Amino acid sequence: MKYRYAEMIWYEIKEAAEQDRVAVLPVATYEDHGPHLPVDVDVVLCTEICERGVARIPSEAVLVPPVPHGYSPHHMDFHGTITIGWDTFIRYVKDVCCSLAYHGFKRILIVNGHGSNTSPLDLSARLSNVEYEGKILCASVNHWDLRKVKDVGATIRESDYGGTSHAGEFETSLYLVLRPELVDMRKAVDERTPLPPSFKTDLLAGTHPKASAARLIPYWSSQTASGVMGDATKATKEKGEKFLEAGIEGLIELIRELRATEILPRRDQHDN
Ligand SMILES: [Zn+2]
């Protein structure tokens, strides 16, 4: 059964929508990931997790071609970053989702691979729901926030809080599995933000007591010289395999949860 949207004939896409399959849309960005990793980390991690997840449940989901470019102005001091204006980006992704909705997909899951896309993608999803007047369910999730990834992260990570932020233990381990020939572990470093605890970020933070809901995103170059924020030296292929499997299983779980979610009708009180 075909699961890649790009490889389907138009009437196969019509059938996929009629089967209520969830449209899974990977979104990421190109930006610096330290001296040991290429700039495509977020794109590779996000699209590979989606590709492998959807491949396991082709009757329940379709893999939409990824949106590779995202919102990353605070990384522009590092060569290689490509950033899209926040409003263009929000509308672009919303237009992709609304095109899918127009063809009959009622449940759309945006899977994000880049931290600073989180807020804009939340809006892309919500604006799509509003544009379709509540007749679709468009949701977004960061791949590292999938429940299984948090659980596995809490058990196998070796770095302390802050160690699994940008290009650190988590992302480097995953990339070691997916593109090992492109990683130079001799150049891996442990570099942390000088920001106080409440403003430190950590992808696998979860319910860690040090995790804070406060948000502060200064220019990346003001916080790190290498571009790394976290402990890349703790990355291993073995951990990466466990993170990858957790990402795939966590994604399948979420796709199924979204697919089973009822689309409840609006009850506009103005109509009474
Ligand atoms: Zn990244």
Side-chain angles (χ1 to χ4, degrees):
M1 190 175 206
K2 284 186 188 174
Y3 64 90
R4 292 191 194 108
Y5 185 97
E7 295 176 1
M8 292 176 179
I9 316 290
W10 68 267
Y11 54 80
E12 291 173 327
I13 289 174
K14 178 175 185 272
E15 281 161 16
E18 283 163 2
Q19 289 158 355
D20 266 335
R21 287 157 77 177
V22 176
V24 176
L25 172 67
V27 183
T29 208
Y30 287 95
E31 68 182 13
D32 59 288
H33 275 79
H36 65 301
L37 293 169
V39 294
D40 71 353
V41 170
D42 294 348
V43 180
V44 169
L45 267 45
C46 182
T47 51
E48 289 281 351
I49 289 166
C50 290
E51 164 78 35
R52 290 161 195 237
V54 176
R56 286 193 199 174
I57 51 165
S59 62
E60 297 165 74
V62 295
L63 177 71
V64 181
V67 173
H69 300 302
Y71 178 69
S72 208
H74 57 311
H75 272 266
M76 285 300 276
D77 291 338
F78 289 93
H79 294 76
T81 303
I82 293 175
T83 188
I84 306 298
W86 64 271
D87 46 351
T88 307
F89 177 59
I90 290 171
R91 290 200 188 98
Y92 187 100
V93 177
K94 188 210 78 173
D95 285 352
V96 174
C97 294
C98 286
S99 299
L100 294 165
Y102 187 79
H103 299 312
F105 290 96
K106 291 191 192 69
R107 291 173 183 79
I108 300 159
L109 181 60
I110 301 169
V111 182
N112 178 33
H114 165 57
S116 290
N117 283 351
T118 309
S119 302
L121 289 178
D122 176 38
L123 279 168
S124 301
R126 292 175 58 171
L127 288 167
S128 302
N129 289 333
V130 169
E131 187 152 319
Y132 270 78
E133 299 185 339
K135 291 182 181 117
I136 63 162
L137 298 177
C138 184
S140 62
V141 69
N142 297 324
H143 69 76
W144 55 87
D145 281 330
L146 290 161
R147 215 175 278 133
K148 290 223 163 163
V149 177
K150 295 270 190 208
D151 292 347
V152 167
T155 37
I156 68 168
R157 69 179 294 171
E158 290 176 278
S159 60
D160 59 343
Y161 185 74
T164 66
S165 188
H166 178 82
E169 184 185 6
F170 175 70
E171 288 191 321
T172 306
S173 295
L174 277 167
Y175 205 84
L176 273 170
V177 176
L178 297 166
R179 304 281 190 276
E181 70 284 5
L182 298 180
V183 187
D184 187 352
M185 282 304 284
R186 292 166 306 177
K187 292 186 181 155
V189 295
D190 178 2
E191 189 172 356
R192 308 299 178 96
T193 176
L195 293 177
S198 291
F199 300 118
K200 281 192 164 73
T201 56
D202 188 297
L203 297 179
L204 300 176
T207 52
H208 195 284
K210 283 192 182 159
S212 156
R215 301 276 292 153
L216 173 66
I217 312 291
Y219 272 85
W220 213 250
S221 61
S222 69
Q223 302 177 72
T224 157
S226 66
V228 172
M229 213 183 285
D231 189 356
T233 67
K234 295 276 194 316
T236 66
K237 200 170 182 175
E238 290 67 35
K239 277 184 260 183
E241 272 154 10
K242 290 185 178 134
F243 287 139
L244 181 61
E245 186 55 30
I248 294 166
E249 288 175 17
L251 178 63
I252 290 173
E253 218 174 67
L254 189 62
I255 289 170
R256 291 192 162 147
E257 219 172 305
L258 181 61
R259 193 157 185 255
T261 305
E262 203 184 332
I263 302 175
L264 299 167
R266 286 173 68 186
R267 285 175 287 196
D268 189 345
Q269 302 305 313
H270 298 83
D271 297 339
N272 295 331

